[in-house]
Amino acid sequence: RKEVEQDPGPFNVPEGATVAFNCTYSNSASQSFFWYRQDCRKEPKLLMSVYSSGNEDGRFTAQLNRASQYISLLIRDSKLSDSATYLCVVNLPGASYDKVIFGPGTSLSVIP
Amino acid sequence: NAGVTQTPKFQVLKTGQSMTLQCAQDMNHNSMYWYRQDPGMGLRLIYYSASEGTTDKGEVPNGYNVSRLNKREFSLRLESAAPSQTSVYFCASRGTSGGRPFGPGTRLLVL
């Protein structure tokens, strides 16, 4: 099993729709979780951290399910500008450095 | 604040040529990283530096060397480029929250 897995998509949704992505991780001892977005031919940018109790930032909601070892990202009222690839990032405890694993990303296209 | 800056933005090399990718950050971060991104592979760590004066190998260090010149700068060197090193290279640093700001990337093509 890969350390971090994501459905590559693409997810094609109309403007205004709600869309959710899941990301599964293999190391049950992982403690830090993040969602990044990456626009085409640009660098990844931190979207939000994911906290144990779940957290919201405007139209974006992140959830953590430790029992099933996945994190999710919910986007409400999708905008055209949300079109991007969303990367799930999970830390790998036990490494000699602050190691994180980047998932391969889920592609989202929001259609007018 | 410029954040993380990288040069060059694009580079074409012939097999066997060498080059250095430059990275600098102005956020006073201790940790800095070099990643490569290939289609379908996600971001993979090449080298990292936990603090000024220290560097260590990541997942895919073969064919690369690094220098942490000072707290701000972390360079990546390809001594003898190979076509397998064609990729997009990103430099990043690490803030106290754990999030990593990235530089804009260097697109490298090795012929």
Side-chain angles (χ1 to χ4, degrees):
Chain A
R1 181 182 173 184
K2 290 184 180 177
E3 290 170 305
V4 177
E5 295 190 84
Q6 294 182 253
D7 182 342
F11 284 65
N12 299 313
V13 302
E15 267 186 294
T18 295
V19 62
F21 310 132
N22 279 346
C23 164
T24 58
Y25 60 95
S26 61
N27 192 318
S28 60
S30 294
Q31 294 291 329
S32 302
F33 309 90
F34 306 90
W35 282 103
Y36 280 70
R37 71 169 278 166
Q38 186 172 24
D39 294 295
C40 187
R41 301 179 72 83
K42 297 286 190 180
E43 73 272 23
K45 291 185 179 177
L46 179 64
L47 180 65
M48 57 198 303
S49 302
V50 185
Y51 302 122
S52 297
S53 55
N55 48 299
E56 190 173 301
D57 183 1
R59 298 181 292 108
F60 299 84
T61 300
Q63 297 276 358
L64 167 63
N65 185 316
R66 286 193 187 276
S68 300
Q69 292 181 215
Y70 74 84
I71 64 172
S72 64
L73 178 68
L74 181 79
I75 306 175
R76 291 182 298 278
D77 189 22
S78 299
K79 311 290 185 193
L80 296 175
S81 58
D82 294 334
S83 297
T85 297
Y86 291 83
L87 307 176
C88 162
V89 182
V90 178
N91 85 309
L92 196 65
S96 59
Y97 59 99
D98 176 38
K99 181 175 182 179
V100 296
I101 302 293
F102 284 80
T106 296
S107 175
L108 172 66
S109 289
V110 180
I111 304 162
Chain B
N1 277 355
V4 180
T5 57
Q6 284 182 241
T7 56
K9 285 189 167 53
F10 305 95
Q11 185 71 49
V12 179
L13 292 177
K14 294 180 180 177
T15 296
Q17 288 185 315
S18 62
M19 77 164 293
T20 299
L21 284 66
Q22 307 287 353
C23 173
Q25 52 92 11
D26 61 1
M27 295 167 285
N28 203 36
H29 289 167
N30 286 321
S31 299
M32 296 183 73
Y33 308 84
W34 276 105
Y35 292 90
R36 61 177 288 173
Q37 187 174 36
D38 303 291
M41 300 290 292
L43 283 151
R44 293 181 293 168
L45 183 66
I46 305 170
Y47 269 93
Y48 71 99
S49 171
S51 61
E52 183 180 352
T54 68
T55 61
D56 274 293
K57 296 177 181 179
E59 303 166 62
V60 289
N62 290 346
Y64 306 96
N65 283 301
V66 290
S67 295
R68 183 75 183 266
L69 304 169
N70 47 56
K71 192 169 187 179
R72 289 188 65 249
E73 298 172 289
F74 188 36
S75 62
L76 178 71
R77 182 159 178 84
L78 286 70
E79 290 291 352
S80 179
S84 60
Q85 294 178 304
T86 293
S87 188
V88 183
Y89 291 85
F90 290 104
C91 177
S93 62
R94 179 177 175 269
T96 53
S97 66
R100 285 162 167 75
F102 281 80
T106 296
R107 296 184 175 276
L108 175 65
L109 174 62
V110 183
L111 300 174

